Amino acid sequence: MNGKLKYNFLLMLAALIWGSAFVAQSVGMDYLGPFTFNSVRSFMGSLVLLPVIWFMDRQKKDKTEAAEGKNTIEEKLQEKKTLITGGLCCGVILTVSTSLQQIGLIYTTAGKAGFITALYILIVPLLGLFLGKKVGGKTWIGVALAVIGMYLLCIKEGFSISYGDFMVLLCALVFSLHILTVDYFSPKVDGVRLSCIQFFVCGCLCAIPMLLFEHPEIKYIFQAWLPLVYAGVLSSGVAYTLQIITQKHLNPTVASLLMSLESVFAVLTGWLILNERLSPKELLGCVLVFAAIILAQLPENRKREMGLKQGKV
């Protein structure tokens, strides 16, 4: 249980970074186009993980040498193949989702974008059902509470589907696929390497429309260095890596609920940093989302939980 709480806390930290990164994304768009911003931040996210990988390799060097004789060449090649395949899959999906979100933010309000993006907490269990994943009743109640909470928290005007809203809705769908893809590959490979590859792939793919349509200038990239560093190093390099590492140990639906706190933290950081006031409706939304998170963590069956502890199930 202590281990589970640790991974819950780390994923909540990722949600905090993502939520506060909305400020960086908004400021960065004053200087750069969406593909330029995503390409540069993704390359930064990949580069910042290289020293982490080097340090982890040094830490594991002795253990690796001791176990080297046990691993056949075929096993090593298969592991590398799985890592590259996972990095490519995650990178392609991440490219599509982040690009849709960044484009959508140009045409819609942040409140609508926050709510629509958070719909992945409902899409994930629906997609999971087609993949044979079971979802308990309390988790479904938590999903319903979280959706209501997101509505109260983020929607500040009449809801209508505009071009920007539709782009962000597609982002929520694609990001749900990213969560399930990470859930599939993260137990099979090193999470930090997987994250590094996916960001490199995302940076390369975003660079294509960047060069074709946006023609960025170096001076504007330097002017946007602060939001790029925050979005690239913390939001991309740190938060997405925390997602990959923690999802090895969490149910994907529970993980999506924890990550939905991104919208809550976006409002809270706006209140703390920009002196934005929280209305009673928004505060109620925060309470409902936190209630959903807690509910999703509760065991479905007390007797089954005791049986698991005793090794009976």
Side-chain angles (χ1 to χ4, degrees), residues 111-125:
K112 284 187 178 182
F115 171 70
I116 296 171
T117 303
L119 288 177
Y120 64 73
I121 68 178
L122 182 60
I123 298 172
V124 165

Side-chain angles (χ1 to χ4, degrees), residues 54 84 119 121 124 135 144 158 218 241 252-253 268-269 275 277 282 304 308:
W54 176 82
I84 294 173
L119 288 177
I121 68 178
V124 165
V135 178
I218 296 295
T241 303
T253 302
L268 293 177
T269 52
N275 293 320
R277 298 281 182 175
E282 291 169 332
R304 177 174 175 79
L308 286 169

Side-chain angles (χ1 to χ4, degrees), residues 86-96 178 197-199 201-202 205:
L88 287 172
C89 292
C90 292
V92 171
I93 298 173
L94 185 66
T95 300
V96 177
H178 183 263
I197 294 174
Q198 78 163 353
F199 285 123
V201 172
C202 183
L205 292 178

Side-chain angles (χ1 to χ4, degrees), residues 13-243:
L13 177 60
L16 171 60
I17 295 172
W18 284 327
S20 56
F22 270 109
V23 176
Q25 288 179 259
S26 178
V27 174
M29 293 289 286
D30 293 337
Y31 304 95
L32 304 172
F35 293 108
T36 302
F37 187 85
N38 280 338
S39 179
V40 176
R41 71 177 283 193
S42 296
F43 280 129
M44 293 178 69
S46 181
L47 288 173
V48 77
L49 291 178
L50 292 178
V52 177
I53 293 173
W54 176 82
F55 177 77
M56 292 176 62
D57 284 346
R58 285 182 60 90
Q59 294 293 104
K60 296 187 299 184
K61 185 177 180 181
D62 294 336
K63 295 181 180 179
T64 302
E65 289 177 351
E68 192 142 331
K70 300 179 182 179
N71 297 328
T72 64
I73 296 177
E74 290 78 9
E75 289 175 338
K76 293 178 183 178
L77 290 175
Q78 183 61 41
E79 184 177 348
K80 289 182 179 180
K81 181 180 178 181
T82 303
L83 175 62
I84 294 173
T85 302
L88 287 172
C89 292
C90 292
V92 171
I93 298 173
L94 185 66
T95 300
V96 177
S97 63
T98 55
S99 297
L100 288 171
Q101 184 186 60
Q102 204 71 23
I103 293 171
L105 283 170
I106 301 175
Y107 301 100
T108 191
T109 63
K112 284 187 178 182
F115 171 70
I116 296 171
T117 303
L119 288 177
Y120 64 73
I121 68 178
L122 182 60
I123 298 172
V124 165
L126 293 177
L127 293 176
L129 290 176
F130 292 101
L131 299 176
K133 294 182 179 293
K134 295 182 179 180
V135 178
K138 291 183 179 179
T139 301
W140 280 111
I141 296 174
V143 169
L145 285 175
V147 171
I148 296 171
M150 288 297 175
Y151 179 84
L152 294 174
L153 179 63
C154 297
I155 297 299
K156 296 185 172 99
E157 56 190 69
F159 188 87
S160 62
I161 298 296
S162 65
Y163 175 76
D165 296 335
F166 183 67
M167 290 294 102
V168 180
L169 180 60
L170 290 178
C171 163
L173 175 60
V174 178
F175 191 68
S176 301
L177 296 176
H178 183 263
I179 291 174
L180 294 173
T181 304
V182 169
D183 182 63
Y184 176 80
F185 282 104
S186 59
K188 305 176 186 294
V189 298
D190 180 81
V192 179
R193 279 185 167 82
L194 179 64
S195 186
C196 183
I197 294 174
Q198 78 163 353
F199 285 123
F200 180 76
V201 172
C202 183
C204 290
L205 292 178
C206 286
I208 297 173
M210 173 189 77
L211 296 174
L212 290 176
F213 306 116
E214 295 178 355
H215 309 291
E217 297 183 27
I218 296 295
K219 65 177 182 179
Y220 294 121
I221 294 177
F222 279 112
Q223 288 176 359
W225 72 270
L226 186 56
L228 281 171
V229 168
Y230 189 89
V233 175
L234 290 180
S235 182
S236 296
V238 175
Y240 275 104
T241 303
L242 287 176
Q243 176 203 350

